[in-house]
Amino acid sequence: MKGNMEERAQRLALYIIENQATVRAAAGRFGISKSTVHKDISERLPQFNHTLYLQVKQVLDENKAERHIRGGIATRRKYKGQ
């Protein structure tokens, strides 16, 4: 998904907001790296759509706060054989 970086950043933000998606999920969905997602969201998006940036930042902050819980659940499943 090359081309207009502003459009890509906006589409990424909308996808993350609508699906409460993680950076990893968004990267997989759009076929780009996690670092590209971070750059688009944290550097490019605030320059042209600050309100959308604030919305997506809220979702990403929530995901960041919950990631240690998801990691613990994944580890439990791994060792319980689920």
Side-chain angles (χ1 to χ4, degrees):
M1 177 180 199
K2 297 185 180 178
N4 188 356
M5 291 181 279
E6 290 180 358
E7 180 184 340
R8 180 181 66 204
Q10 190 165 355
R11 290 179 62 196
L12 279 166
L14 291 173
Y15 176 79
I16 290 170
I17 292 167
E18 290 172 2
N19 298 297
Q20 298 292 309
T22 61
V23 169
R24 184 177 295 227
R29 171 69 172 84
F30 286 87
I32 56 178
S33 69
K34 293 186 300 180
S35 59
T36 302
V37 174
H38 275 294
K39 186 167 186 95
D40 283 350
I41 297 300
S42 64
E43 294 179 18
R44 294 185 177 119
L45 188 62
Q47 293 176 357
F48 67 90
N49 195 337
H50 194 71
T51 56
L52 186 60
Y53 165 73
L54 293 175
Q55 291 175 349
V56 76
K57 184 174 178 351
Q58 185 177 11
V59 172
L60 294 179
D61 286 346
E62 185 177 319
N63 286 340
K64 187 175 181 181
E66 294 173 353
R67 72 181 172 192
H68 69 283
I69 296 169
R70 286 193 298 266
I73 292 170
T75 302
R76 182 184 318 142
R77 285 184 184 153
K78 175 181 176 183
Y79 288 106
K80 282 197 169 188
Q82 290 180 343

